[in-house]
Amino acid sequence: MTEPQPLNPTSTPEVSLPRAPLARVLAQARFPTILAIRDPDRVADFQDAVRESYPNLNRDQVHSIRLVSGEAPDIRPDLIWRFTDRETGPGWRVSLGVDFVALETSSYGSRSDFLDRLLTVLSAVEESFRPASASRLGLRYIDRLTGEAVDRLAELVHAEVLGIIQAAETLDPSLRASVIHQLTEVQFMSPAGTQIQGRWGQLPANATYEPNALEPIEEPSWVLDLDMFTTESRPFASEELLTTTTGFAECLYWLFRQMVTIEFLKFYGGEP
């Protein structure tokens, strides 16, 4: 068996998909704990910076659990500020905790729009709280295929990716037909300082592998979940963090295009 080699992504022109099957796109930056984020008065400046796009504010009470070998779990109450574009059924949400900020959407339009919004959020954190560093930075895309797309998987996704649910002359057809749940998990060797984790496969109705990221739906689906991140500490400089995230987006798009076919792009309204 040969030694794994790092991915070598090349520049890949983005094809707009008017009916893109993106269930969620999420970017997150973590930083050393800032207790002032618990103070509503200190959060007010951050709110002013993002309120035009995310005018609705909610405060979620959460509990963090710290596990130390040989000791009882240390459970501490905390809060997360949630800023959304709509009161009900939000398409965009910003989450601010004492040690992280995240931007997520189920209404992804384009890479440039998402990155512009992310810069606004990162700049607001930088200006309002001056974090000492960014301890983790990540970007995650989750595609979910449903309906006719699931029936046409063999046309839309390369056979090597589909695995056992791809019809093959060497396998008994009942193997493919009997699959209820199939999930492939891969860690790719990526450029130095970064990691890429991928999960993809078939889910039955009302199933999920991560409720906070992918809500169950009432029909079978096929999911492609790609997550790129770095845990190398770096200064919390919004422009530099955005440059790194832009590189993540380009790499993940290249990886996505390696897995799907031209028919996939056409099926979702693209013009390759």
Side-chain angles (χ1 to χ4, degrees):
M1 182 176 179
T2 59
E3 290 293 325
Q5 300 295 318
L7 291 174
N8 185 27
T10 57
S11 179
T12 307
E14 188 175 11
V15 176
S16 176
L17 301 180
R19 300 187 302 277
L22 279 165
R24 188 172 303 275
V25 180
L26 169 67
Q28 185 192 75
R30 303 196 72 89
F31 45 79
T33 299
I34 300 174
L35 298 179
I37 293 176
R38 293 175 179 160
D39 183 349
D41 292 334
R42 294 293 304 275
V43 174
D45 289 341
F46 178 86
Q47 182 185 25
D48 287 343
V50 303
R51 186 169 53 195
E52 182 176 351
S53 297
Y54 316 101
N56 303 289
L57 171 62
N58 290 288
R59 184 170 66 176
D60 282 356
Q61 296 291 337
V62 298
H63 290 84
S64 60
I65 302 176
R66 181 171 177 267
L67 300 175
V68 178
S69 178
E71 298 181 11
D74 182 12
I75 302 175
R76 300 181 181 182
D78 219 323
L79 62 85
I80 298 176
W81 304 96
R82 309 283 194 186
F83 306 84
T84 59
D85 60 339
R86 298 190 296 267
E87 286 191 54
T88 58
W92 291 85
R93 184 172 76 171
V94 176
S95 300
L96 176 66
V98 295
D99 59 359
F100 80 96
V101 66
L103 172 68
E104 59 185 303
T105 183
S106 57
S107 302
Y108 187 88
S110 68
R111 184 191 304 171
S112 60
D113 176 54
F114 185 86
L115 293 173
D116 285 346
R117 289 171 178 263
L118 179 61
L119 178 60
T120 298
V121 170
L122 293 174
S123 297
V125 172
E126 183 181 7
E127 294 172 9
S128 301
F129 301 107
R130 303 292 178 186
S133 62
S135 56
R136 187 186 189 278
L137 179 66
L139 179 64
R140 184 177 183 184
Y141 287 85
I142 306 177
D143 286 280
R144 176 158 55 191
L145 283 60
T146 57
E148 182 185 351
V150 174
D151 296 331
R152 295 178 57 184
L153 275 175
E155 301 172 48
L156 307 182
V157 180
H158 288 297
E160 295 84 351
V161 176
L162 291 176
I164 199 170
I165 62 172
Q166 166 63 31
E169 295 180 358
T170 56
L171 296 178
D172 188 300
S174 67
L175 288 176
R176 175 180 182 272
S178 66
V179 173
I180 298 173
H181 176 112
Q182 178 216 29
L183 197 62
T184 298
E185 184 167 346
V186 177
Q187 181 174 346
F188 295 95
M189 181 173 283
S190 54
T194 64
Q195 298 182 52
I196 301 177
Q197 293 181 348
R199 282 185 287 189
W200 59 84
Q202 180 174 302
L203 296 177
N206 302 309
T208 182
Y209 52 87
E210 190 177 333
N212 290 334
L214 190 70
E215 297 178 356
I217 58 174
E218 296 180 352
E219 61 178 313
S221 60
W222 190 87
V223 174
L224 174 59
D225 181 346
L226 300 175
D227 184 7
M228 187 171 186
F229 60 92
T230 178
T231 55
E232 285 191 349
S233 182
R234 62 194 61 214
F236 198 103
S238 54
E239 292 282 356
E240 295 177 12
L241 295 177
L242 185 74
T243 298
T244 300
T245 309
T246 300
F248 288 178
E250 292 170 352
C251 182
L252 291 178
Y253 185 70
W254 173 86
L255 185 55
F256 161 77
R257 289 289 300 274
Q258 298 300 304
M259 296 185 172
V260 303
T261 66
I262 295 297
E263 288 304 314
F264 181 104
L265 304 181
K266 294 178 180 178
F267 183 85
Y268 287 104
E271 297 181 2

